[in-house]
Amino acid sequence: MEQHLPDWILHCNAADATETSPLSADVYAIRGKSAWWIFDVGANDAAVNFINSLDKNLPKNVILSHFHHDHAGNLSQISWNQLYVGKETWKHVHAGNVIENLFELDDGLHIQIAPIPNSHAKGSLIFMAAEYAFLGDANYPMVGHGKPDAYNVQQLFSQIQFLKNLNAKYFLISHKRFIAREKFLVLQFLENVYAQRKPNENWILCDEK
């Protein structure tokens, strides 16, 4: 089942690239007790306007899922109080607190930021607020491989185990419709991909999206 989000989670839609605007990922703003928690900053003007329109009485804490331009491109166009990045993302943006282990705090909601194993982008982070987990592109295959999609066997196995252990009930995936998917549905898809692995091969090649 798909779950629509509570009113304390605001959203700016992902957008495909056009002749005048770049590809831009979903941007989420979660209102905590003392701050906005912003997951990814997008790359187009709509994402900048969305972030800049948030209640200015609360500071903005930004989490970048990974370093790809559609997720991090607007960083220089916005103001932020705290920035949380993976080690690989830090090499691209040269700013922020590097997260290499689980980071958690209470801001009226249980907030968690953690690295996630994945085939898509080295050093990716996920963000969790209450029962919602924001996964960015972590479920996606290797970039630049073309078709069929390619997943690293060990990274995918590790990701499945990691996600199984999360307390979140709903997962949100970038570049998808503005809905939360139940945890078991996302795990079901990933396990179906993992089932396509072949002996003595490090990569799974599949046509599923």
Side-chain angles (χ1 to χ4, degrees), residues 3-194:
Q3 174 73 26
H4 291 279
L5 299 182
D7 57 11
W8 48 268
I9 301 178
L10 305 182
H11 173 247
C12 179
N13 284 311
D16 293 334
T18 68
E19 291 183 359
T20 58
S21 185
L23 177 69
S24 189
D26 293 270
V27 178
Y28 293 95
I30 292 82
R31 184 166 188 144
K33 184 177 180 180
S34 66
W36 287 107
W37 296 86
I38 301 168
F39 184 70
D40 284 335
V41 296
N44 63 11
D45 291 342
V48 171
N49 293 336
F50 168 74
I51 294 169
N52 288 339
S53 71
L54 297 172
D55 183 352
K56 294 178 173 57
N57 292 317
L58 291 178
K60 298 182 178 76
N61 297 331
V62 171
I63 305 97
L64 294 180
S65 64
H66 61 290
F67 56 87
H68 291 163
H69 185 263
D70 55 320
H71 293 258
N74 280 334
L75 188 62
S76 64
Q77 306 299 314
I78 64 167
S79 61
W80 42 266
N81 184 57
Q82 294 290 335
L83 175 66
Y84 300 92
V85 298
K87 189 173 182 180
E88 190 68 25
T89 300
W90 191 92
K91 295 176 183 178
H92 293 259
V93 302
H94 303 290
N97 304 293
V98 176
I99 302 297
E100 296 186 84
N101 299 289
L102 174 64
F103 170 82
E104 55 188 331
L105 56 79
D106 184 88
D107 189 24
L109 302 163
H110 186 206
I111 298 295
Q112 296 174 280
I113 306 169
I116 180 171
N118 74 101
S119 301
H120 185 77
K122 186 177 180 180
S124 292
L125 299 179
I126 67 166
F127 172 69
M128 290 165 282
E131 61 185 358
Y132 295 89
F134 301 82
L135 305 185
D137 288 356
N139 294 153
Y140 292 154
M142 174 184 176
V143 172
H145 181 271
K147 294 295 181 182
D149 290 339
Y151 291 83
N152 179 272
V153 172
Q154 185 56 53
Q155 292 287 348
L156 182 57
F157 175 80
S158 297
Q159 180 178 127
I160 290 169
Q161 303 312 307
F162 175 86
L163 293 176
K164 283 182 176 179
N165 290 328
L166 289 185
N167 290 326
K169 185 176 181 181
Y170 301 106
F171 290 165
L172 290 102
I173 303 168
S174 289
H175 306 288
K176 299 291 185 182
R177 291 187 300 122
F178 179 41
I179 50 175
R181 288 165 171 77
E182 289 193 73
K183 176 179 178 177
F184 83 92
L185 291 174
V186 176
L187 283 170
Q188 185 179 73
F189 165 75
L190 295 174
E191 288 171 336
N192 286 341
V193 173
Y194 186 69

